[in-house]
Amino acid sequence: MNLQINHHTIEQTHSLKLAGEVDAYTAPKLKEVLVPLTEKEGQEIIIDLSGIEYMDSTGLGIFVGALKSTKANNSSMKLRGMTERVRRIFEITGLTEVMDIENEVKGEAK
């Protein structure tokens, strides 16, 4: 499957909406869009993962690198709209403890 990335910017706030899969084949595309945003100072990056059906360790690595870069450049990154399946991967790896992740899980009863 492919990865689609919709990117909208308002001043220093970047909103990315991802759909598809983040794996070894599609991760370079995500990195190409995400990393330059994290290298600018004072940016706010909001990533909507509600359309992500699958993510592997390559995808997690992109987000870890982006987190380090945002912290080094006085910026912020927030992940939102995770499906239960994707959130589980972040929980198992302990990334829910270090990343700003919105609590609402797609498909969960409120």
Side-chain angles (χ1 to χ4, degrees):
M1 182 157 202
N2 209 353
L3 174 66
Q4 290 136 9
I5 303 171
N6 290 320
H7 178 197
H8 298 284
T9 304
I10 299 173
E11 295 179 7
Q12 293 181 313
T13 301
H14 303 272
S15 296
L16 300 176
K17 183 164 177 59
L18 310 182
E21 297 181 354
V22 182
D23 57 22
Y25 299 104
T26 62
K29 180 178 180 180
L30 176 59
K31 186 176 183 179
E32 182 180 303
V33 173
L34 181 57
V35 171
L37 301 177
T38 68
E39 292 174 339
K40 297 176 186 172
E41 190 162 331
Q43 305 299 301
E44 179 182 15
I45 302 159
I46 302 167
I47 304 168
D48 182 341
L49 298 172
S50 60
I52 295 299
E53 299 162 13
Y54 172 81
M55 184 180 303
D56 69 9
S57 61
T58 312
L60 290 177
I62 299 294
F63 288 111
V64 169
L67 177 65
K68 289 179 182 176
S69 182
T70 56
K71 288 186 177 200
N73 291 294
N74 195 28
S75 292
S76 67
M77 181 175 73
K78 175 181 240 170
L79 305 178
R80 64 169 45 149
M82 290 183 179
T83 61
E84 277 187 55
R85 183 179 185 179
V86 171
R87 185 171 182 89
R88 212 169 311 127
I89 295 167
F90 280 81
E91 288 172 349
I92 290 168
T93 57
L95 291 174
T96 53
E97 302 300 318
V98 296
M99 292 191 162
D100 185 359
I101 299 173
E102 206 171 79
N103 285 332
E104 185 179 324
V105 177
K106 183 182 172 200
E108 232 180 56
K110 291 186 180 184

